[in-house]
Amino acid sequence: MNLHKLILTNNACYKAGKTITPKGIMVHSTGANNPYLKRYIGPDDGLLGKNQYNNHWNQDKPDGRQVCVHGFIGKLAVGSIATYQTLPWNYRGWHAGGAANDTHIGFEICEDGLSDPAYFSAVYKEAVELCAYLCKQYGIKPESPTLICHSEGHKLGIASNHGDVMHWFPKHGKSMDTFRADVKKLLDAASPETPTTPKKYYRVQLGAFSVKANADAMLKKVKAAGFTDVFIKYSE
Ligand SMILES: [Zn+2]
């Protein structure tokens, strides 16, 4: 994950200053063909590039709307993919249009034309990594209803009626089920509690002798044959 931070301190949502205890994550996508982060985040930090229309979300009511999210995933000026945190994770965001604002961290994936598999796989991977990071930090389970997209939130009655991200993910063979599974896979791989398989040894025995001299003779023979890691073990 390529995580940066630019808190949208001029946004009315930030200024409201309400906090939550994050219990879930809601995945959004922007619904507009513009993959560049500078569309939503400003001022230019030298990586984002300049928003020439100055219509980013670091203002009181972007596009006249009461809206703000905790992060965005999209393109930097040079075209590489990054995540920007835009609200403290424990601030109450204005992203769900419903009760999920009181429980869920919300972030947007910047949409392109929805048909480029390279862009999709890059932002999907970035989103999986961001969610694994947040799940770990807040003890959030990568399952429904704690890790959902906006359209799933609507079905659960905790978000407004939007189609994101299920109008996009299936075009590239993905869904929120694959997404949750991928986040879980990443968490399991990173978890220090993952039990490691105990080491097993397979021993080769070449003989058992009642007379020590015979055992010594066998040991000598085996060593002469080039095996160095051999020994005699005495047991009754
Ligand atoms: Zn949404």
Side-chain angles (χ1 to χ4, degrees), residues 57-155:
W57 288 18
N58 200 1
Q59 52 191 303
D60 195 61
K61 288 188 185 66
D63 308 309
R65 297 156 62 212
Q66 289 194 308
V67 63
C68 201
V69 290
H70 297 86
F72 286 89
I73 292 171
K75 280 185 184 178
L76 296 171
V78 292
S80 54
I81 303 300
T83 300
Y84 270 71
Q85 180 186 359
T86 48
L87 278 179
W89 302 123
N90 69 336
Y91 265 44
R92 183 178 180 276
W94 294 345
H95 59 92
N101 282 342
D102 297 320
T103 49
H104 284 56
I105 292 168
F107 70 90
E108 297 272 0
I109 306 172
C110 296
E111 292 182 12
D112 63 349
L114 307 186
S115 57
D116 178 1
Y119 178 72
F120 177 79
S121 72
V123 293
Y124 178 91
K125 180 172 177 283
E126 188 77 6
V128 166
E129 290 173 7
L130 173 62
C131 287
Y133 167 82
L134 292 170
C135 281
K136 200 170 175 197
Q137 188 165 338
Y138 291 102
I140 294 166
K141 290 208 168 98
E143 54 196 43
S144 179
T146 46
L147 177 54
I148 53 176
C149 72
H150 195 158
S151 63
E152 289 177 319
H154 176 64
K155 283 185 197 140

Side-chain angles (χ1 to χ4, degrees), residues 2-228:
N2 181 13
L3 181 62
H4 299 254
K5 194 188 228 181
L6 197 161
I7 302 297
L8 304 175
T9 51
N10 295 321
N11 192 293
C13 175
Y14 176 84
K15 287 190 272 184
K18 283 201 176 168
T19 57
I20 61 167
T21 302
K23 294 190 176 84
I25 305 166
M26 185 170 282
V27 185
H28 298 264
S29 61
T30 51
N33 183 356
N34 191 339
Y36 286 94
L37 290 161
K38 67 183 176 191
R39 163 66 183 86
Y40 306 98
I41 310 168
D44 182 13
D45 60 359
L47 297 170
L48 291 161
K50 188 172 164 43
N51 178 328
Q52 58 176 320
Y53 308 105
N54 216 33
N55 61 354
H56 55 66
W57 288 18
N58 200 1
Q59 52 191 303
D60 195 61
K61 288 188 185 66
D63 308 309
R65 297 156 62 212
Q66 289 194 308
V67 63
C68 201
V69 290
H70 297 86
F72 286 89
I73 292 171
K75 280 185 184 178
L76 296 171
V78 292
S80 54
I81 303 300
T83 300
Y84 270 71
Q85 180 186 359
T86 48
L87 278 179
W89 302 123
N90 69 336
Y91 265 44
R92 183 178 180 276
W94 294 345
H95 59 92
N101 282 342
D102 297 320
T103 49
H104 284 56
I105 292 168
F107 70 90
E108 297 272 0
I109 306 172
C110 296
E111 292 182 12
D112 63 349
L114 307 186
S115 57
D116 178 1
Y119 178 72
F120 177 79
S121 72
V123 293
Y124 178 91
K125 180 172 177 283
E126 188 77 6
V128 166
E129 290 173 7
L130 173 62
C131 287
Y133 167 82
L134 292 170
C135 281
K136 200 170 175 197
Q137 188 165 338
Y138 291 102
I140 294 166
K141 290 208 168 98
E143 54 196 43
S144 179
T146 46
L147 177 54
I148 53 176
C149 72
H150 195 158
S151 63
E152 289 177 319
H154 176 64
K155 283 185 197 140
L156 291 164
I158 56 172
S160 56
N161 189 4
H162 282 221
D164 53 324
V165 297
M166 290 308 291
H167 67 301
W168 184 15
F169 281 26
K171 287 181 193 282
H172 299 280
K174 300 291 185 186
S175 67
M176 279 308 289
D177 287 330
T178 68
F179 187 82
R180 283 182 281 264
D182 288 334
V183 172
K184 185 174 186 307
K185 218 186 286 173
L186 203 56
L187 281 170
D188 289 348
S191 169
E193 291 106 316
T194 306
T196 50
T197 315
K199 262 190 187 163
K200 279 183 184 163
Y201 296 98
Y202 298 93
R203 288 199 166 86
V204 179
Q205 185 173 356
L206 276 164
F209 306 90
S210 56
V211 179
K212 183 166 185 296
N214 293 341
D216 287 338
M218 176 57 95
L219 184 69
K220 215 173 154 187
K221 240 199 234 175
V222 175
K223 278 190 171 165
F227 297 96
T228 53

